[in-house]
Amino acid sequence: MQPGAGETGAADTARAGADLRHRGRPIRQVHEHRRALGLSQKMLSEVLHVQQPAIAKMEKRTDMYISTLRSHIEAMGGQLEVIARFPDGAVKISNFADLDERHG
């Protein structure tokens, strides 16, 4: 795969499938969206420069770093937003924006 080829293809596919529904129901898990986009774990692993088993392991996790989830979502052409919902309203948490600079 040529450098950058996976990112463009995944992003184009994500824009084309913006409905985020599969078989008439909302998609609630990352692996469901990857499959709905027609991306294999192998394809995603090439974009993220990791081995395919790392993608399988990440998709099974119920707890992970936000930076891991963000990179996975961005590899599929998406953008992660963290929103806290309170009885009096919602707050978008934005202090994760510079995570890569601090921990990358």
Side-chain angles (χ1 to χ4, degrees):
M1 178 183 290
Q2 295 180 356
E7 292 93 337
T8 302
D12 290 345
T13 304
R15 281 189 287 278
D19 185 4
L20 300 184
R21 298 182 78 77
H22 182 63
R23 296 183 183 164
R25 63 179 178 79
I27 293 175
R28 302 204 189 289
Q29 296 187 22
V30 174
H31 75 273
E32 291 178 334
H33 189 58
R34 175 187 52 76
R35 289 177 184 159
L37 290 172
L39 297 172
S40 67
Q41 288 180 344
K42 178 68 175 163
M43 293 165 69
L44 200 55
S45 72
E46 290 172 359
V47 172
L48 292 170
H49 306 289
V50 298
Q51 298 294 314
Q52 178 274 328
I55 301 298
K57 184 176 179 181
M58 193 290 276
E59 289 182 348
K60 291 178 184 174
R61 287 184 184 154
T62 57
D63 191 18
M64 69 186 74
Y65 288 113
I66 290 175
S67 58
T68 301
L69 179 60
R70 183 177 66 185
S71 64
H72 194 92
I73 289 171
E74 288 177 352
M76 292 188 293
Q79 181 180 3
L80 179 65
E81 292 184 352
V82 178
I83 299 173
R85 301 199 188 280
F86 298 95
D88 61 341
V91 177
K92 181 177 176 184
I93 309 298
S94 59
N95 61 323
F96 301 115
D98 63 348
L99 263 176
D100 285 335
E101 291 86 29
R102 290 184 294 175
H103 298 289

